Amino acid sequence: MIVLGIESSCDDTAVALYRPGSEEQFSEVVSRQYQIHDPYGGVVPELASRSHLEAVPNITRELLEKSNVKLSDVDLIAATNGPGLTGALIVGLTFAKGLALSAGKPFVPVNHIEAHMFAATAENDVEYPFLALVISGGHTLLALVRSTDDYEIIGRTRDDAAGEALDKGAKILGLPMPGGLNLALRAEKGQRGTPDGTRFPRAYLKPSFDFSFSGVKTALLYHVQKNPPKSEEALCNVAADYVEAIMDVLVKKAVRAAREFKVKTIVVGGGVSSNSRLRELFKNRSRGKDALKVIFPSLPLCTDNARMIAARGFQVFKKKGPGDLGADVFSTFVN
Ligand code: KG4
Ligand code: ZN
């Protein structure tokens, strides 16, 4: 079985081949656009669509060539159909449908958030039910997952997503795109609890499992206005306190939800799940008597990628069969 996955929901164009169960399950080519968007301080949707249009046929050809696979060898084509930037989604989606139609292959649409939610299940034996913590640029949510097609969202962000708070925090600190990653790298070098930083506020919103990250972002803005970091070291120290405040809330809320819903496994996904401090904090929770099992995707499956689209496409196809190949792209949008 070979699944071709295509991802174009935001500013990364990615295509991957997935061979479920084989030793080398994935091969992938990714084309990142942050250098195109950096001068504007954020993703410009029109520029994103144009870059996807240029990249997607080229990287698909490159992927097939480097993997020694012909289009006729592919058994299933999966593409992200939302949520994301509409123009960007249309590029990947119509390309995928065109390929499927011309090569006579089944096509399956994939929800990007579900792909993050189940990404780690492609590489790990995960027992259901589990608690999913999805932390991407636009979404932060907790879900109780009973099977590959049965889950319930129990908490979501009421304002900024965790990734968004990291990206905006990077902007406040004058760091270039990709902001969240650049901020995380500074935080790794910095020290927590120094006079350069502060204990940034945590919003727990008890007893709800919802999140709020706009307060911590505003606190960073005021802190930096009053105490502009005078050195790279000071900046790294502020970054360390800021990242700590965000990761602390994510870990505590996920653990509380797992306990309340009596599940023993937490599965993390989305770009923020690549964060080293988050992994460390969760590791501390997976030791001891009533330890929780915390499962992370490998790094290539964390930030936007096509591996997870192919893997989720295969899961959906097994349950529901092929999707619609009609020309009305919007009819296949799930969100
Ligand atoms: O899942 P993702 O790649 O794209 C979306 O679906 O949005 O997530 C992107 C988010 C960004 O907000 C970025 O700040 C964050 O992931 N991110 C990180 C790291 N790498 C990316 N956050 C913390 N630590 C990182 N190493
Ligand atoms: Zn994503």
Side-chain angles (χ1 to χ4, degrees):
M1 180 77 185
I2 303 181
V3 187
L4 170 64
I6 298 176
E7 156 63 31
S8 71
S9 66
C10 191
D11 57 345
D12 297 316
T13 325
V15 293
L17 292 175
Y18 172 50
R19 297 178 180 81
S22 73
E23 203 155 301
E24 287 241 346
Q25 289 201 111
F26 293 110
S27 52
E28 183 172 28
V29 180
V30 185
S31 162
R32 307 228 182 256
Q33 301 177 6
Y34 54 83
Q35 277 166 336
I36 296 170
H37 302 288
D38 189 46
Y40 305 95
V43 177
V44 183
E46 180 60 26
L47 292 180
S49 310
R50 286 164 193 252
S51 311
H52 286 306
L53 199 55
E54 234 177 77
V56 80
N58 293 333
I59 62 173
T60 304
R61 200 174 299 120
E62 188 185 332
L63 174 74
L64 293 174
E65 272 169 20
K66 87 164 187 175
S67 318
N68 235 332
V69 167
K70 294 192 287 296
L71 185 58
S72 55
D73 302 330
V74 170
D75 301 293
L76 175 66
I77 299 176
T80 310
N81 75 336
L85 303 170
T86 305
L89 287 164
I90 286 175
V91 174
L93 199 54
T94 39
F95 180 76
K97 284 187 174 189
L99 270 190
L101 209 56
S102 65
K105 306 290 178 182
F107 161 80
V108 65
V110 170
N111 177 293
H112 184 90
I113 301 304
E114 289 181 2
H116 278 308
M117 189 181 289
F118 291 96
T121 67
E123 290 180 332
N124 298 276
D125 281 327
V126 180
E127 270 180 45
Y128 293 86
F130 63 78
L131 185 91
L133 170 64
V134 179
I135 25 182
S136 68
H139 294 76
T140 300
L141 60 87
L142 284 168
L144 184 62
V145 183
R146 299 186 188 93
S147 72
T148 57
D149 64 347
D150 179 14
Y151 64 88
E152 182 189 341
I153 295 175
I154 58 166
R156 56 172 84 228
T157 184
R158 294 185 185 173
D159 40 52
D160 289 350
E164 198 176 349
L166 291 165
D167 293 332
K168 289 177 177 169
K171 222 166 161 182
I172 291 169
L173 291 170
L175 301 173
M177 288 174 77
L181 174 62
N182 284 325
L183 180 68
L185 294 175
R186 297 301 193 292
E188 276 177 20
K189 286 195 223 150
Q191 274 200 335
R192 294 181 294 279
T194 70
D196 297 320
T198 185
R199 188 182 157 81
F200 289 106
R202 279 89 160 142
Y204 290 109
L205 310 179
K206 271 185 190 171
S208 155
F209 290 110
D210 283 350
F211 296 91
S212 166
F213 291 105
S214 73
V216 66
K217 174 198 66 190
T218 309
L220 175 70
L221 178 66
Y222 289 161
H223 179 80
V224 170
Q225 279 173 349
K226 268 197 228 144
N227 320 277
K230 292 200 178 61
S231 62
E232 174 69 11
E233 186 189 343
L235 191 146
C236 292
N237 292 343
V238 179
D241 281 340
Y242 185 64
V243 166
E244 186 74 4
I246 292 173
M247 302 309 159
D248 193 20
V249 173
L250 290 170
V251 172
K252 285 189 179 145
K253 295 208 76 147
V255 169
R256 183 159 66 81
R259 300 265 185 249
E260 182 151 329
F261 288 89
K262 297 189 170 43
V263 295
K264 294 193 177 69
T265 309
I266 297 176
V267 176
V268 194
V272 182
S273 66
S274 54
N275 187 265
S276 58
R277 182 63 185 151
L278 180 83
R279 289 175 178 236
E280 200 170 74
L281 287 172
F282 265 126
K283 210 187 255 170
N284 298 339
R285 301 289 184 147
S286 35
R287 296 199 190 105
K289 200 158 62 35
D290 47 343
L292 289 162
K293 191 169 181 187
V294 186
I295 300 175
F296 285 91
S298 62
L299 291 180
L301 275 160
C302 289
T303 42
D304 282 351
N305 65 86
R307 299 173 187 221
M308 66 177 192
I309 303 303
R312 180 63 185 157
F314 184 52
Q315 275 181 348
V316 172
F317 182 73
K318 278 192 291 185
K319 291 272 177 184
K320 296 187 184 156
D324 176 25
L325 266 180
D328 176 6
V329 282
F330 291 100
S331 70
T332 59
F333 279 13
V334 282
N335 275 332

